[in-house]
């Protein structure tokens, strides 16, 4: 029995050992199967997830395209300072559901939602002076609806930090004046007296003065204004007992690399003037702005004129009366010369000039010159002229004597060389020129105002020019500009001497009598009978054969300076008020 139990025990022990071994082998096999199955499931899950994400991405792209047709979000930020961080500018995006995250020194400010669209932007820019106000505008345009909505974030300096003042939402188009606009306008507005146009509702009579800040501000004083702007504005603001107000605004140059603030400031200025002003006195000297910005300035004035404001002086009036071909348009008046011609292209010039110079000495004037540059007194060197106009035409090798009005210097060239210089400038065919000018008076064509005027030379130019200064139709001053001894030019740069006379001086009685006949007909001569005369303008007269004959050589209404005639600002204010409010003209005159 003992052996039997021992044998059974050994047998059970062997069976147990075998079972354990078999179980271990089975367990290892199951483990291998588990690992294999887990690996297979893992790869299958990754594939399924990848397929799922690809599908979601596809539908998200489609959904995004659908939303793009409903809401085109443009993020446009003015340059400003936020906690030593400059706000980036000119950003734009079209997005489905972004979040605006402005990092304010560790704090974030989400943009308010407009409809179903938010806006997003991250700020990351260098350290700058934090003591600067900022204004951020986020315009949102709906393509399918005629609507425009904006979100405004603005702030003011606060110690060494910037305090966010407000986040507000407003609606409207270009013509609205927003809180952001008022912030921009503070930088370009100068108050007159106690009146602040940015803190008041539209006054009964508001005629501001409009200047420009540009690439050339030589006409400005230490305060950044033209020297005659403040006196004119004060005269309007305090004219007699009439309740009228004025201020000075400045249009900004837009040609700089980072011009977004200037663009938004100018737009805000246009919107403000359209709502609050009834008229504008323009004091922008030619050359202050670049050509591009000058065009925008003129276009703004045209838009304001179309909206009902009286622009003094309208840019179309300035360009038309100030162009040299104005002398052709007034040749039928008492002050005009019948034998005055204009050439708008080189071929007309080549033929017309060779006829006119064959008959008598001429004055050839480019349209874009100033202070006598490009204005030539031309004579045949041998002095042999035809008896009647058109009888003959000079050859290209005929020699000329040329005097430039800018500085009275003399040059000698052939007709061919003079034509070459006027058309193409300095070339191998134009000869050697000592003029500081470059010629090329027809560059850009008529669209650029290129032309040459051909006028009879009046020998008594040696006695000088008589400049008449007008405010509207009123003659306020006469100045005799006498060239220096032996000279022909009457510019200050050439050494001319200026002598002032009162309008009633007997020496110029004939001139004043002619003006009474001519001035009421001037605007009609330019097909502008519906527009008033320029607010401030000059006409330069030259003596004919007798003292009773005086002929206009130039009209200037761009921006004549009156720093030496500030006593006339009250007349300017009176004429401006009468022009803008004609129904009250008698009361203005009486007061």
């Amino acid at each position: 029995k003992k052996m039997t139990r021992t044998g059974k025990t050994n047998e059970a022990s062997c069976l147990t050992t075998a079972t354990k071994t078999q179980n271990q082998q089975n367990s290892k096999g199951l483990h291998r199967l588990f690992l294999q199955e887990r690996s297979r499931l893992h790869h299958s899950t990754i594939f399924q997830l990848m397929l799922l994400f690809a599908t979601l991405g596809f539908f998200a792209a489609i959904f995004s395209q659908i939303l793009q047709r409903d809401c085109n979000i443009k993020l446009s930020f003015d340059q400003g300072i936020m906690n030593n961080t400059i706000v980036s500018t000119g950003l734009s995006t079209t997005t489905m559901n972004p979040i605006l995250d402005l990092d304010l020194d560790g704090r974030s400010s989400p943009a308010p939602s407009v409809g179903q669209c938010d806006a997003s932007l991250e700020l990351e820019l260098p350290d700058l002076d934090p003591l600067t106000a900022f204004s951020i505008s986020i315009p949102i345009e709906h393509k399918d609806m005629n609507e425009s909505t904006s979100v405004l974030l603005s702030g003011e300096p606060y110690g060494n930090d910037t305090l966010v003042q407000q986040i507000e939402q407003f609606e409207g188009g270009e013509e609205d004046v927003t809180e952001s606009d008022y912030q921009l306008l503070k930088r370009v507005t100068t108050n007159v007296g106690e009146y602040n146009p940015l803190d008041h509702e539209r006054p009964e009579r508001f005629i501001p003065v409009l200047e420009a800040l540009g690439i050339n501000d030589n006409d400005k004083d230490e305060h950044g204004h033209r020297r005659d702007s403040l006196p004119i504005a004060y005269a309007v603001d305090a004219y007699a007992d009439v309740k009228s107000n004025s201020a000075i605004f400045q249009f900004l140059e837009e040609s700089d690399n980072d011009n977004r603030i200037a663009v938004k400031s100018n737009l805000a200025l246009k919107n403000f003037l359209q709502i609050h002003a009834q008229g504008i006195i323009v004091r922008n000297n030619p050359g202050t702005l670049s050509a591009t910005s000058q065009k925008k300035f003129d276009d703004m004035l045209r838009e304001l004129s179309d909206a009902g404001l009286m622009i003094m002086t309208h840019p179309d009036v300035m360009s038309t009366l100030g162009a040299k071909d104005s002398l052709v348009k007034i040749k039928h008046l008492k002050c005009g010369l019948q034998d005055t011609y204009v050439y708008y292209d080189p071929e007309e010039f080549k033929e017309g000039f060779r006829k006119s110079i064959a008959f008598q000495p001429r004055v050839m004037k480019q349209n874009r010159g100033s202070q006598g540059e490009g204005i030539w007194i031309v004579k045949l060197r041998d002095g042999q002229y035809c008896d009647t106009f058109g009888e003959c035409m000079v050859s290209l090798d005929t020699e000329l004597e040329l005097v430039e009005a800018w500085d009275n210097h003399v040059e000698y060239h052939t007709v061919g060389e003079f034509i070459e210089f006027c058309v193409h400038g300095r070339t191998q065919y134009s000869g050697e020129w000592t003029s500081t000018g470059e010629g090329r008076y027809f560059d850009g064509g008529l669209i650029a105002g290129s032309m040459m005027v051909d006028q009879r030379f009046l020998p008594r130019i040696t006695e000088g020019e008589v400049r008449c200064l007008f405010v509207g139709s009123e003659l306020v001053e006469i100045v005799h500009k006498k060239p220096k001894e032996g000279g022909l030019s009457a510019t200050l740069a050439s050494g001319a001497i200026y002598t002032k006379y009162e309008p009633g001086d007997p020496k110029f009685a004939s001139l004043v009598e002619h003006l009474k006949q001519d001035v009421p007909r001037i605007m009609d001569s330019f097909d502008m009978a519906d527009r008033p005369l320029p607010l401030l303008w000059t006409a330069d007269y030259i003596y004919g054969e007798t003292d009773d004959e005086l002929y206009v050589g130039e009209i200037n209404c761009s921006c004549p300076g009156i720093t030496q005639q500030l006593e006339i600002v009250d007349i300017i204010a009176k004429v401006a008020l009468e022009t803008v409010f004609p129904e009250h003209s008698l009361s203005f005159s009486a007061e």
Side-chain angles (χ1 to χ4, degrees):
K1 290 181 180 179
K2 183 177 181 180
M3 289 182 61
T4 302
R5 286 197 301 268
T6 302
K8 288 182 179 180
T9 301
N10 291 338
E11 182 180 359
S13 176
C14 291
L15 287 172
T16 300
T17 302
T19 300
K20 287 183 179 180
T21 302
Q22 183 64 38
N23 287 341
Q24 290 176 354
Q25 291 176 350
N26 291 340
S27 177
K28 289 180 180 179
L30 289 173
H31 183 67
R32 282 195 300 270
L33 289 173
F34 171 75
L35 291 177
Q36 291 174 0
E37 184 65 11
R38 187 176 66 174
S39 176
R40 185 183 66 79
L41 291 174
H42 177 71
H43 287 90
S44 176
T45 302
I46 292 176
F47 175 79
Q48 290 175 0
L49 288 174
M50 290 175 62
L51 181 60
L52 176 61
F53 282 122
T55 304
L56 290 175
F58 173 78
F59 284 106
I62 294 177
F63 187 52
S64 176
Q65 292 298 318
I66 294 173
L67 284 184
Q68 286 181 21
R69 290 195 293 271
D70 294 332
C71 183
N72 182 23
I73 303 177
K74 298 179 180 178
L75 309 186
S76 178
F77 291 82
D78 294 338
Q79 182 175 335
I81 309 299
M82 298 178 65
N83 287 332
N84 299 331
T85 302
I86 181 171
V87 179
S88 53
T89 58
L91 301 176
S92 64
T93 183
T94 300
T95 182
M96 185 169 62
N97 186 28
I99 298 174
L100 178 62
D101 184 15
L102 300 178
D103 186 4
L104 303 180
D105 196 20
R107 301 179 301 277
S108 63
S109 175
S113 174
V114 181
Q116 295 182 350
C117 298
D118 297 333
S120 72
L121 174 69
E122 288 186 5
L123 304 176
E124 181 184 354
L125 292 156
D127 180 32
L128 292 175
D129 179 9
L131 302 179
T132 304
F134 66 87
S135 178
I136 308 173
S137 177
I138 309 174
I140 301 179
E141 301 173 356
H142 300 276
K143 286 185 175 180
D144 299 332
M145 295 176 285
N146 223 357
E147 296 179 5
S148 176
T149 306
S150 294
V151 175
L152 174 68
L153 172 65
S154 64
E156 292 290 342
Y158 186 72
N160 291 324
D161 203 345
T162 302
L163 174 66
V164 176
Q165 277 190 331
Q166 56 188 328
I167 299 179
E168 64 179 90
Q169 180 180 322
F170 57 88
E171 297 183 355
E174 282 191 352
E175 297 181 359
D176 289 339
V177 181
T178 67
E179 288 300 322
S180 176
D181 291 337
Y182 279 104
Q183 293 296 324
L184 293 169
L185 287 172
K186 287 180 181 179
R187 306 179 185 181
V188 295
T189 304
T190 299
N191 299 341
V192 172
E194 298 180 356
Y195 177 69
N196 183 352
L198 303 184
D199 290 342
H200 294 71
E201 295 182 358
R202 182 179 182 181
E204 182 180 357
R205 300 186 185 98
F206 182 46
I207 305 178
V209 174
L210 178 61
E211 298 182 330
L213 284 178
I215 58 176
N216 182 3
D217 292 318
N218 293 334
D219 61 336
K220 305 297 191 301
D221 60 17
E222 64 275 14
H223 304 295
H225 292 297
R226 284 181 55 89
R227 292 169 179 81
D228 50 21
S229 291
L230 271 173
I232 293 173
Y234 273 107
V236 173
D237 190 74
Y239 183 74
D241 295 326
V242 176
K243 185 178 180 181
S244 59
N245 298 108
S246 189
I248 299 178
F249 295 101
Q250 291 182 315
F251 183 95
L252 301 180
E253 169 66 41
E254 294 186 10
S255 67
D256 297 334
N257 292 331
D258 190 4
N259 65 356
R260 280 168 284 269
I261 289 181
V263 171
K264 295 181 80 65
S265 175
N266 293 338
L267 178 58
L269 178 59
K270 186 198 79 169
N271 294 341
F272 178 85
L273 291 174
Q274 182 169 334
I275 295 172
H276 293 274
Q278 292 90 21
I280 300 172
I281 298 175
V282 182
R283 302 297 291 160
N284 174 32
N285 205 43
T288 298
L289 296 169
S290 65
T292 300
S293 292
Q294 182 65 52
K295 182 180 184 305
K296 293 182 178 181
F297 180 81
D298 292 343
D299 288 343
M300 180 188 77
L301 292 177
R302 292 185 181 98
E303 288 185 40
L304 292 173
S305 176
D306 292 341
L309 277 71
M310 180 61 69
I311 308 301
M312 301 169 288
T313 297
H314 194 285
D316 293 343
V317 174
M318 287 188 189
S319 60
T320 302
L321 271 66
K324 294 297 189 292
D325 63 350
S326 63
L327 303 177
V328 179
K329 297 175 182 178
I330 62 169
K331 66 181 183 180
H332 63 285
L333 301 180
K334 286 280 188 180
C335 61
L337 287 168
Q338 290 288 339
D339 55 336
T340 302
Y341 311 101
V342 60
Y343 309 122
Y344 294 112
D345 64 64
E347 294 306 315
E348 289 180 347
F349 166 57
K350 291 174 185 177
E351 182 176 352
F353 169 68
R354 291 170 66 190
K355 287 182 181 179
S356 63
I357 191 60
F359 175 55
Q360 58 189 182
R362 310 298 293 179
V363 179
M364 305 300 299
K365 303 178 180 183
Q366 70 143 323
N367 190 42
R368 293 187 294 256
S370 63
Q371 296 294 312
E373 190 270 317
I375 297 178
W376 298 93
I377 299 168
V378 187
K379 299 179 181 179
L380 295 179
R381 194 167 185 181
D382 61 11
Q384 301 299 313
Y385 297 98
C386 302
D387 293 331
T388 58
F389 179 79
E391 178 183 337
C392 58
M393 180 184 291
V394 298
S395 63
L396 293 175
D397 58 359
T398 301
E399 293 189 351
L400 303 173
E401 177 186 290
L402 304 158
V403 179
E404 189 171 20
W406 160 248
D407 56 5
N408 290 326
H409 84 278
V410 181
E411 301 199 29
Y412 299 96
H413 293 279
T414 66
V415 170
E417 288 173 340
F418 179 63
I419 291 175
E420 178 70 13
F421 180 76
C422 292
V423 176
H424 300 294
R426 302 174 191 272
T427 71
Q428 58 180 326
Y429 306 108
S430 65
E432 295 293 328
W433 290 76
T434 57
S435 171
T436 58
E438 296 297 326
R440 302 199 310 272
Y441 304 140
F442 293 93
D443 277 8
L446 184 58
I447 193 173
S450 299
M451 66 183 76
M452 289 195 74
V453 168
D454 183 346
Q455 192 174 39
R456 184 200 318 169
F457 173 68
L458 299 172
R460 292 185 69 184
I461 186 65
T462 56
E463 301 176 29
E465 296 176 353
V466 178
R467 168 163 291 183
C468 294
L469 175 62
F470 297 88
V471 179
S473 60
E474 187 171 346
L475 177 65
V476 296
E477 184 183 71
I478 297 174
V479 179
H480 184 206
K481 305 188 297 180
K482 184 175 176 57
K484 71 177 182 180
E485 192 66 31
L488 295 173
S489 175
T491 63
L492 286 172
S494 65
I497 299 174
Y498 286 21
T499 305
K500 294 183 179 181
Y501 295 88
E502 292 295 323
D505 195 291
K507 183 176 181 178
F508 299 102
S510 294
L511 172 60
V512 172
E513 192 61 33
H514 290 165
L515 287 174
K516 291 179 180 178
Q517 301 177 47
D518 285 346
V519 169
R521 303 168 59 194
I522 285 180
M523 297 308 291
D524 190 49
S525 300
F526 295 100
D527 296 325
M528 290 185 167
D530 59 331
R531 294 193 184 278
L533 281 160
L535 178 62
L536 191 63
W537 60 290
T538 64
D540 291 339
Y541 288 80
I542 304 171
Y543 281 108
E545 294 182 3
T546 69
D547 289 351
D548 292 336
E549 297 178 18
L550 288 106
Y551 302 102
V552 169
E554 183 175 15
I555 295 174
N556 175 24
C557 60
S558 295
C559 191
I562 58 165
T563 54
Q564 303 302 316
Q565 298 94 356
L566 292 179
E567 67 276 6
I568 71 171
V569 294
D570 286 337
I571 302 176
I572 294 174
K574 177 180 78 73
V575 173
L577 286 164
E578 290 176 343
T579 303
V580 178
F581 308 104
E583 66 276 13
H584 300 298
S585 60
L586 291 178
S587 61
F588 293 148
S589 299
E591 290 166 348

